[in-house]
Amino acid sequence: MKNIVVLISGSGSNLQAIIDAYRNGQINGNIKAVFSNVPEAYGLVRAQQAGIATELVESKYFASRTDYELVLADTIDRYTPDLIVLAGYMRILSPTFVNRYTGKLLNIHPSLLPKYPGLHTHRQALDNGDSEHGATIHFVTEELDGGPIILQAAIPITPQDSEAEVIKKVQQQEHRIYPLVVGWFMQGRLAMRDGKAWMDNHPLPPQGYIEN
């Protein structure tokens, strides 16, 4: 059975969705550990309640980003991960770290990439009068939020929606699609090859898998 490591910085709601999917048999893999760079992150509590090992690696104790990521990676490797899931991990990872785990790093981003990489995506969608917003799961590459797209889920936005309402609708989709994609990877259906996402031995289109 393949091993999963999850990296978080906050409440861990996507982590909880993945834990629930594992318990329900949707994910055929072992969640070996949950890492955080923030000691107060509630996701660590979620992991502990589920009986999953936790690791706290804080950057403030290291002289450089390089030193921090070297210790982070060496600690991750103790759990022999087949997949590393970024679930609200609020640090930009260096090319050195990303390349160490090429094809084994997944991220979820709260927009319909390539629209709105980076932060404050919900506010940007509202300020621009968008009628549609959503979430994207992608492989991680050196380009920030620019890796091959695996799956997107869209939600409608109305002029009456508040930012809190948009966030809630997007998170509902995140909690649905992230466990789905992790499950695909664990089944061996999903891979990154030649800079593209592949599903069932076929390259996915630029917008990712299309749900029927």
Side-chain angles (χ1 to χ4, degrees), residues 2-193:
K2 295 178 180 178
N3 296 329
I4 303 166
V5 167
V6 183
L7 273 59
I8 63 163
S9 295
S11 68
S13 64
N14 275 306
L15 166 66
Q16 188 64 58
I18 292 168
I19 291 172
D20 293 344
Y22 165 74
R23 287 173 169 168
N24 294 334
Q26 185 180 344
I27 295 174
N28 184 24
N30 290 316
I31 307 173
K32 297 292 287 187
V34 172
F35 282 66
S36 182
N37 61 322
V38 179
E40 300 84 11
Y42 185 68
L44 293 172
V45 176
R46 295 181 191 271
Q48 291 161 0
Q49 290 174 340
I52 299 169
T54 58
E55 298 279 358
L56 177 63
V57 185
E58 295 183 79
S59 61
K60 67 180 181 181
Y61 295 112
F62 298 89
S64 68
R65 177 186 184 185
T66 299
D67 291 344
Y68 167 76
E69 289 191 345
L70 183 60
V71 170
L72 176 65
D74 286 346
T75 309
I76 287 172
D77 286 349
R78 294 176 192 167
Y79 296 94
T80 59
D82 298 283
L83 178 65
I84 299 170
V85 177
L86 306 181
Y89 184 67
M90 302 304 291
R91 283 187 62 88
I92 296 175
L93 297 169
S94 72
T96 299
F97 184 96
V98 169
N99 290 330
R100 181 167 175 161
Y101 300 107
T102 298
K104 298 168 68 172
L105 274 169
L106 295 181
N107 184 48
I108 190 161
H109 182 74
S111 79
L112 297 174
L113 291 171
K115 204 169 190 179
Y116 307 137
L119 301 175
H120 311 300
T121 62
H122 310 300
R123 174 47 49 195
Q124 291 183 72
L126 286 168
D127 288 347
N128 290 330
D130 292 355
S131 61
E132 187 178 63
H133 190 43
T136 301
I137 302 172
H138 63 95
F139 282 106
V140 178
T141 63
E142 294 182 18
E143 182 184 357
L144 177 65
D145 297 328
I149 292 172
I150 301 164
L151 181 62
Q152 295 188 319
I155 58 104
I157 299 179
T158 70
Q160 292 75 37
D161 280 338
S162 66
E163 186 172 2
E165 289 168 333
V166 170
I167 290 171
K168 182 178 179 179
K169 288 195 285 187
V170 170
Q171 285 183 338
Q172 287 173 342
Q173 291 300 318
E174 290 179 352
H175 300 163
R176 180 181 67 84
I177 64 174
Y178 217 175
L180 185 63
V181 171
V182 172
W184 290 344
F185 192 97
M186 292 292 102
Q187 292 167 355
R189 299 180 61 195
L190 178 64
M192 189 174 82
R193 302 175 197 160

